[in-house]
Amino acid sequence: MDLWHIIVLSIIQGLTEFLPISSSAHLILPSQLLGWPDQGLAFDVAVHVGTLAAVVWYFRRDVLRLASAWAVDTSRGRVAEDSGLAWAIIVGTIPAGLAGVLLDDLIEAHLRSGLVIAASTIGFGLVLWWSDAVGRRRRELPALRLKDAVIIGLAQALALIPGTSRSGITMTAALFLGFQREAAARFSFLLSIPLITAAGALKTVELIGQGAGADWVSIGLGALLSFISAVACIHLFLKFLERIGLMPYVIYRLLLGAILLVVLW
């Protein structure tokens, strides 16, 4: 890939992984509108590593606290606030993991089209608006229970449909359950860690199986830029979420979906 392609695609991945606007919808645009070549599996692995490193680094204190509490409390047969949240993350990851294993071939065969991405970008954008409009936004993260994690985890499984947005659909579910915007976003980000880890591991295994040579400069630059853009994205999103709400992202999704429909129809 050209240097310009690496820079743009890395930043797109870093931003759209965590904003509720769908990374798949954005990654289809350069190839459809500009004729850019496919970035390749090695580059996909690199940007996944970059975004994973970003969310782990940003929430490093939470990750260490939750992991430590889970290990200690589980060994003692008890559940406290932090270990309960860790269990919620584990439970919330299971539906998407199972759906990915069972439905990946079906999705790959029937749901990867540009029109599906456009429709889901618009449709789930409207659902995001609805959840933000009717959600009571009173519950904080310590109030999250396993049944909430199951519901949010089932919603996360819908993100296998291209154009849905993993962060968007998990925040949507949390808002419907009455959580505050920031609480919904924080749980969504924490919930992304095991899923991005699994996705990156699967892509790495696939890459090793291909036995192709690697362009380490492109891989390193892609990982670095996706890391930087993802950290900035998480920080600014959480900082301004309560101030600006989710309507700007809803409007953006509607416009993006409309552009995709015009280009791909």
Side-chain angles (χ1 to χ4, degrees), residues 41 59 95 190 232 245:
L41 185 57
F59 292 103
L190 290 170

Side-chain angles (χ1 to χ4, degrees), residues 15-54:
L15 295 177
T16 59
E17 183 70 46
F18 298 109
L19 291 179
I21 55 177
S22 173
S23 60
S24 56
H26 285 78
L27 292 175
I28 195 177
L29 286 175
S31 61
Q32 291 291 334
L33 296 182
L34 304 175
W36 288 11
D38 181 82
Q39 60 265 33
L41 185 57
F43 188 79
D44 281 345
V45 171
V47 294
H48 270 82
V49 169
T51 53
L52 174 63

Side-chain angles (χ1 to χ4, degrees), residues 83-164:
S83 57
L85 182 55
W87 274 115
I89 293 170
I90 294 171
V91 169
T93 302
I94 294 173
L98 289 176
V101 171
L102 297 175
L103 302 176
D104 184 63
D105 291 341
L106 177 66
I107 292 170
E108 190 69 34
H110 300 288
L111 297 179
R112 293 292 183 189
S113 72
L115 292 180
V116 169
I117 293 175
S120 56
T121 298
I122 293 172
F124 286 111
L126 292 173
V127 177
L128 176 63
W129 164 78
W130 184 24
S131 69
D132 196 39
V134 304
R136 300 178 69 181
R137 299 204 297 271
R138 294 179 180 176
R139 301 176 67 188
E140 297 181 357
L141 203 52
L144 190 139
R145 300 293 179 259
L146 283 183
K147 65 178 182 180
D148 300 316
V150 171
I151 294 172
I152 297 172
L154 290 170
Q156 182 171 238
L158 292 174
L160 292 171
I161 302 172
T164 301

